PDB file of all heavy atoms in Angstrom:
ATOM      1  N   ASP A1072      57.856 152.957  70.055  1.00 98.00           N
ATOM      2  CA  ASP A1072      57.081 154.099  69.681  1.00 98.00           C
ATOM      3  C   ASP A1072      55.890 154.026  70.615  1.00 98.00           C
ATOM      4  O   ASP A1072      54.996 153.182  70.361  1.00 98.00           O
ATOM      5  CB  ASP A1072      56.682 154.062  68.206  1.00 98.00           C
ATOM      6  CG  ASP A1072      55.751 155.246  67.818  1.00 98.00           C
ATOM      7  OD1 ASP A1072      55.377 156.020  68.734  1.00 98.00           O
ATOM      8  OD2 ASP A1072      55.417 155.385  66.603  1.00 98.00           O
ATOM      9  N   ASP A1075      51.742 155.334  68.493  1.00 97.00           N
ATOM     10  CA  ASP A1075      51.831 155.577  67.050  1.00 97.00           C
ATOM     11  C   ASP A1075      50.520 156.022  66.521  1.00 97.00           C
ATOM     12  O   ASP A1075      49.465 155.545  66.948  1.00 97.00           O
ATOM     13  CB  ASP A1075      52.237 154.294  66.353  1.00 97.00           C
ATOM     14  CG  ASP A1075      52.315 154.438  64.883  1.00 97.00           C
ATOM     15  OD1 ASP A1075      53.134 155.260  64.391  1.00 97.00           O
ATOM     16  OD2 ASP A1075      51.495 153.786  64.161  1.00 97.00           O
ATOM     17  N   GLY A1076      50.568 156.962  65.664  1.00 96.00           N
ATOM     18  CA  GLY A1076      49.338 157.516  64.985  1.00 96.00           C
ATOM     19  C   GLY A1076      48.783 158.626  65.802  1.00 96.00           C
ATOM     20  O   GLY A1076      47.512 158.825  65.828  1.00 96.00           O
ATOM     21  N   SER A1077      49.660 159.416  66.378  1.00 91.00           N
ATOM     22  CA  SER A1077      49.235 160.545  67.272  1.00 91.00           C
ATOM     23  C   SER A1077      48.096 161.386  66.697  1.00 91.00           C
ATOM     24  O   SER A1077      47.235 161.924  67.367  1.00 91.00           O
ATOM     25  CB  SER A1077      50.374 161.467  67.636  1.00 91.00           C
ATOM     26  OG  SER A1077      51.378 160.685  68.195  1.00 91.00           O
ATOM     27  N   ASN A1167      49.830 157.875  51.552  1.00 98.00           N
ATOM     28  CA  ASN A1167      49.188 159.159  51.709  1.00 98.00           C
ATOM     29  C   ASN A1167      49.246 159.890  50.293  1.00 98.00           C
ATOM     30  O   ASN A1167      50.251 160.488  49.918  1.00 98.00           O
ATOM     31  CB  ASN A1167      49.905 160.043  52.798  1.00 98.00           C
ATOM     32  CG  ASN A1167      49.218 161.364  52.979  1.00 98.00           C
ATOM     33  OD1 ASN A1167      48.515 161.853  52.142  1.00 98.00           O
ATOM     34  ND2 ASN A1167      49.525 161.947  54.102  1.00 98.00           N
ATOM     35  N   TRP A1201      44.056 154.300  53.649  1.00 98.00           N
ATOM     36  CA  TRP A1201      45.080 154.994  54.404  1.00 98.00           C
ATOM     37  C   TRP A1201      44.520 155.471  55.686  1.00 98.00           C
ATOM     38  O   TRP A1201      43.663 156.318  55.788  1.00 98.00           O
ATOM     39  CB  TRP A1201      45.597 156.220  53.567  1.00 98.00           C
ATOM     40  CG  TRP A1201      46.704 156.955  54.309  1.00 98.00           C
ATOM     41  CD1 TRP A1201      46.599 158.202  54.867  1.00 98.00           C
ATOM     42  CD2 TRP A1201      48.050 156.497  54.493  1.00 98.00           C
ATOM     43  NE1 TRP A1201      47.806 158.597  55.428  1.00 98.00           N
ATOM     44  CE2 TRP A1201      48.738 157.570  55.231  1.00 98.00           C
ATOM     45  CE3 TRP A1201      48.741 155.406  54.158  1.00 98.00           C
ATOM     46  CZ2 TRP A1201      50.092 157.461  55.556  1.00 98.00           C
ATOM     47  CZ3 TRP A1201      50.074 155.277  54.585  1.00 98.00           C
ATOM     48  CH2 TRP A1201      50.709 156.337  55.261  1.00 98.00           C
ATOM     49  N   MET A1205      50.335 153.848  61.448  1.00 98.00           N
ATOM     50  CA  MET A1205      51.061 152.692  60.854  1.00 98.00           C
ATOM     51  C   MET A1205      50.562 151.344  61.480  1.00 98.00           C
ATOM     52  O   MET A1205      50.394 150.333  60.821  1.00 98.00           O
ATOM     53  CB  MET A1205      52.546 152.836  61.083  1.00 98.00           C
ATOM     54  CG  MET A1205      53.352 151.865  60.323  1.00 98.00           C
ATOM     55  SD  MET A1205      55.081 151.918  60.824  1.00 98.00           S
ATOM     56  CE  MET A1205      55.816 151.038  59.444  1.00 98.00           C
ATOM     57  N   TYR A1221      55.372 154.419  53.041  1.00 98.00           N
ATOM     58  CA  TYR A1221      55.620 155.870  53.405  1.00 98.00           C
ATOM     59  C   TYR A1221      57.083 156.132  52.835  1.00 98.00           C
ATOM     60  O   TYR A1221      58.035 155.975  53.507  1.00 98.00           O
ATOM     61  CB  TYR A1221      55.546 156.171  54.876  1.00 98.00           C
ATOM     62  CG  TYR A1221      55.128 157.584  55.080  1.00 98.00           C
ATOM     63  CD1 TYR A1221      53.925 157.869  55.660  1.00 98.00           C
ATOM     64  CD2 TYR A1221      55.867 158.612  54.550  1.00 98.00           C
ATOM     65  CE1 TYR A1221      53.482 159.196  55.771  1.00 98.00           C
ATOM     66  CE2 TYR A1221      55.469 159.958  54.650  1.00 98.00           C
ATOM     67  CZ  TYR A1221      54.286 160.233  55.224  1.00 98.00           C
ATOM     68  OH  TYR A1221      53.882 161.509  55.288  1.00 98.00           O
ATOM     69  N   LYS A1233      59.680 159.538  56.475  1.00 97.00           N
ATOM     70  CA  LYS A1233      59.079 160.040  57.719  1.00 97.00           C
ATOM     71  C   LYS A1233      59.237 159.076  58.877  1.00 97.00           C
ATOM     72  O   LYS A1233      59.369 159.482  60.018  1.00 97.00           O
ATOM     73  CB  LYS A1233      57.562 160.306  57.472  1.00 97.00           C
ATOM     74  CG  LYS A1233      56.880 160.707  58.772  1.00 97.00           C
ATOM     75  CD  LYS A1233      55.479 161.070  58.642  1.00 97.00           C
ATOM     76  CE  LYS A1233      54.963 161.493  60.048  1.00 97.00           C
ATOM     77  NZ  LYS A1233      53.553 161.830  60.150  1.00 97.00           N
ATOM     78  N   GLU A1239      59.806 152.039  64.379  1.00 98.00           N
ATOM     79  CA  GLU A1239      58.666 151.685  63.526  1.00 98.00           C
ATOM     80  C   GLU A1239      59.022 150.683  62.412  1.00 98.00           C
ATOM     81  O   GLU A1239      58.449 149.553  62.361  1.00 98.00           O
ATOM     82  CB  GLU A1239      58.121 152.998  62.850  1.00 98.00           C
ATOM     83  CG  GLU A1239      57.461 153.886  63.869  1.00 98.00           C
ATOM     84  CD  GLU A1239      57.200 155.335  63.431  1.00 98.00           C
ATOM     85  OE1 GLU A1239      58.055 155.869  62.706  1.00 98.00           O
ATOM     86  OE2 GLU A1239      56.281 155.938  63.941  1.00 98.00           O
TER      87      GLU A1239
HETATM   88  P1  AHM B 961      53.735 159.270  64.790  1.00 54.12           P
HETATM   89  O1  AHM B 961      54.655 158.153  65.342  1.00 54.12           O
HETATM   90  O2  AHM B 961      54.299 160.594  65.209  1.00 54.12           O
HETATM   91  O3  AHM B 961      52.347 159.090  65.129  1.00 54.12           O
HETATM   92  O4  AHM B 961      53.990 159.300  63.205  1.00 54.12           O
HETATM   93  C1  AHM B 961      53.906 158.135  62.403  1.00 54.12           C
HETATM   94  C2  AHM B 961      52.667 158.098  61.589  1.00 54.12           C
HETATM   95  C3  AHM B 961      52.370 156.695  61.121  1.00 54.12           C
HETATM   96  O5  AHM B 961      51.600 156.007  62.047  1.00 54.12           O
HETATM   97  C4  AHM B 961      51.588 156.925  59.854  1.00 54.12           C
HETATM   98  O6  AHM B 961      51.795 155.946  58.922  1.00 54.12           O
HETATM   99  C5  AHM B 961      52.229 158.240  59.354  1.00 54.12           C
HETATM  100  O7  AHM B 961      52.856 158.913  60.499  1.00 54.12           O
HETATM  101  C6  AHM B 961      51.075 159.212  58.985  1.00 54.12           C
HETATM  102  O8  AHM B 961      51.736 160.298  58.419  1.00 54.12           O
HETATM  103  P2  AHM B 961      50.813 161.429  57.536  1.00 54.12           P
HETATM  104  O9  AHM B 961      50.051 162.188  58.593  1.00 54.12           O
HETATM  105  O10 AHM B 961      51.922 162.173  56.875  1.00 54.12           O
HETATM  106  O11 AHM B 961      49.896 160.659  56.604  1.00 54.12           O
END
Side-chain angles (χ1 to χ4, degrees):
D1072 175 355
D1075 178 63
S1077 303
N1167 184 340
W1201 182 251
M1205 188 189 195
Y1221 210 117
K1233 173 174 182 183
E1239 291 162 328

